[in-house]
Amino acid sequence: MKIKRSVIAVLSLCLSLILASYTDGFIRPGVLKFFNGIKGKGFKLTPQVEVRENGIPITIYPDLGPQINPVNIAQQALTYWDKGQYNLFLKIANWFCENTFEHDSFAVWQYQFPWKSYNMTPPWVSGMAQGLAVDVLGRAYHLTGNEIYLNTAKKALKAFLVPIEEGGVRTEDWWYEEYADVGGKNPRVLNGMIYALQGIYNFWIITGDSLAKMIFDNGLSSLKKNLSMYDARGWSYYDALHNIASEHYHRIHIKQMDWLYEITGDTLFAHYAVDWKGDLHSPLRFILVVLMKGPQESDIAVLIINFIGIYLLIVIINSIIKASREKNKGKESSHEFFQGKLL
């Protein structure tokens, strides 16, 4: 039986929507790399982090060019730490000591570029950057015993006591804002808040600093009170503005819930970890996420690649089956011919 091409196309589309849930993790990175390479109009390009000869990473944004991003710098330092590359790690710790913006009672690291998504105008600061940098400086102090790292970290820690309106990163209810700016949207990004808490917690574990413990406890209480607003019925929201999390950030949220449960024993975090893991194994995960956040260029590309692959596979299999049947039919006709002759 010959299958019509239109039927194959519909079947391929249905299967590609399901298969995308399982292939998107390794197809999408290549798609984004291709989009970045051709720099075509209409593509939402991703920023690229380049580590310079001095070990300090620069973030290159398609629309902003090379920029200093303290979060990416701190994350690179923690990568050096995990790899045991302590000389490079200390270069970044020194960079944090040398590039603070000093207020009378606290210190911050400033962003000198705009971020239109949340109406951020430079200079602005980040609770996530503060937390990660404090973590880096605490480790540097533990590694060397040099007081400059400890003193810089303690002054940076005090930014968590200061309201956003006064140049700090704290809201009234002790939420630590990743995108902290008086004129910003105050999006309360979930992963940024938890990364800030993680950095503060690590500093407290290393130093036993009582202020760090108090800031962590207040932030944790705020997180617990607000966590339900990030639940998208089996998925998670990226921020309090209800922008749906990409799969990348959704997986980060799950890991962060696991970490919070591990250090606190609070079943609230275990509940969300289990609930949010559920849809990752759903064959309709890809469709669910696209419907919630709207289709992106990379989503369409993943779907097209799956569609082409499945369509060609079905066409080839159909052709092989058809050829096999015709061959068998030919053999049967030949057999009947000789049978007739013999009779």
Side-chain angles (χ1 to χ4, degrees):
M1 181 180 69
K2 182 179 179 181
I3 303 176
K4 292 182 178 180
R5 292 295 171 92
S6 59
V7 175
I8 294 177
V10 172
L11 180 61
S12 298
L13 179 60
C14 295
L15 290 175
S16 62
L17 283 167
I18 295 173
L19 188 63
S21 294
Y22 303 97
T23 61
D24 142 282
F26 58 85
I27 291 179
R28 190 181 300 271
V31 167
L32 291 174
K33 186 176 181 181
F34 173 75
F35 284 174
N36 280 323
I38 63 174
K39 298 185 184 299
K41 277 189 174 182
F43 295 128
K44 294 181 180 178
L45 308 180
T46 55
Q48 303 295 307
V49 178
E50 292 185 2
V51 180
R52 300 295 168 89
E53 291 181 2
N54 61 0
I56 309 298
I58 298 293
T59 305
I60 302 175
Y61 295 92
D63 53 342
L64 299 170
Q67 300 290 341
I68 296 292
N69 184 323
V71 161
N72 291 341
I73 292 174
Q75 288 179 328
Q76 185 63 47
L78 295 173
T79 298
Y80 289 147
W81 176 275
D82 291 340
K83 292 181 178 179
Q85 298 174 312
Y86 299 122
N87 288 337
L88 291 171
F89 171 82
L90 289 175
K91 282 186 177 182
I92 292 184
N94 292 336
W95 183 92
F96 278 114
C97 291
E98 295 162 3
N99 288 275
T100 56
F101 182 85
E102 300 282 337
H103 292 267
D104 289 339
S105 61
F106 66 100
V108 293
W109 292 275
Q110 294 184 332
Y111 284 74
Q112 300 297 338
F113 56 89
W115 198 251
K116 294 181 181 178
S117 300
Y118 295 134
N119 291 341
M120 310 298 288
T121 55
W124 52 276
V125 295
S126 167
M128 180 175 172
Q130 294 292 126
L132 291 175
V134 164
D135 187 357
V136 169
L137 292 169
R139 294 173 194 239
Y141 171 68
H142 177 72
L143 187 65
T144 66
N146 191 331
E147 294 283 334
I148 190 172
Y149 300 125
L150 182 63
N151 294 334
T152 304
K154 284 186 174 184
K155 197 161 187 182
L157 192 65
K158 291 178 181 178
F160 293 100
L161 302 174
V162 181
I164 293 172
E165 295 76 17
E166 297 175 22
V169 297
R170 178 179 65 81
T171 65
E172 287 184 4
D173 62 345
W174 290 89
W175 185 276
Y176 307 136
E177 180 60 78
E178 180 180 349
Y179 293 89
D181 184 25
V182 175
K185 292 183 178 180
N186 294 330
R188 292 176 174 243
V189 174
L190 180 59
N191 84 89
M193 169 64 167
I194 301 174
Y195 274 127
L197 288 175
Q198 199 164 20
I200 297 164
Y201 177 84
N202 289 341
F203 181 75
W204 168 60
I205 291 297
I206 290 170
T207 64
D209 186 88
S210 58
L211 180 61
K213 180 66 165 61
M214 183 272 284
I215 292 171
F216 174 80
D217 287 342
N218 286 345
L220 184 67
S221 295
S222 180
L223 175 66
K224 289 167 65 175
K225 289 176 184 176
N226 289 282
L227 194 52
S228 62
M229 75 171 66
Y230 296 92
D231 184 28
R233 296 181 181 180
W235 203 262
S236 59
Y237 289 112
Y238 177 78
D239 56 27
L241 303 179
H242 279 190
N243 289 307
I244 199 71
S246 65
E247 183 180 343
H248 170 73
Y249 280 106
H250 183 65
R251 289 183 181 275
I252 288 176
H253 292 162
I254 292 169
K255 289 180 180 178
Q256 290 177 328
M257 292 300 107
D258 284 334
W259 174 75
L260 286 163
Y261 175 63
E262 180 184 339
I263 65 165
T264 67
D266 194 317
T267 55
L268 175 69
F269 302 119
H271 164 75
Y272 282 110
V274 172
D275 191 38
W276 290 347
K277 284 174 185 175
D279 278 339
L280 282 175
H281 306 293
S282 167
L284 301 179
R285 175 188 56 75
F286 181 83
I287 302 171
L288 172 69
V289 177
V290 170
L291 286 175
M292 286 193 293
K293 70 182 176 63
Q296 308 295 314
E297 288 90 346
S298 56
D299 296 325
I300 296 169
V302 168
L303 188 59
I304 290 173
I305 291 170
N306 278 284
F307 175 81
I308 292 173
I310 293 172
Y311 183 87
L312 291 176
L313 182 62
I314 293 175
V315 168
I316 292 169
I317 292 173
N318 187 46
S319 298
I320 292 172
I321 293 172
K322 181 183 174 184
S324 177
R325 284 178 175 174
E326 288 179 351
K327 186 177 179 182
N328 289 334
K329 188 176 180 181
K331 285 182 178 179
E332 288 174 2
S333 298
S334 176
H335 178 70
E336 289 174 359
F337 173 78
F338 284 110
Q339 285 281 24
K341 288 287 184 182
L342 289 171
L343 290 170

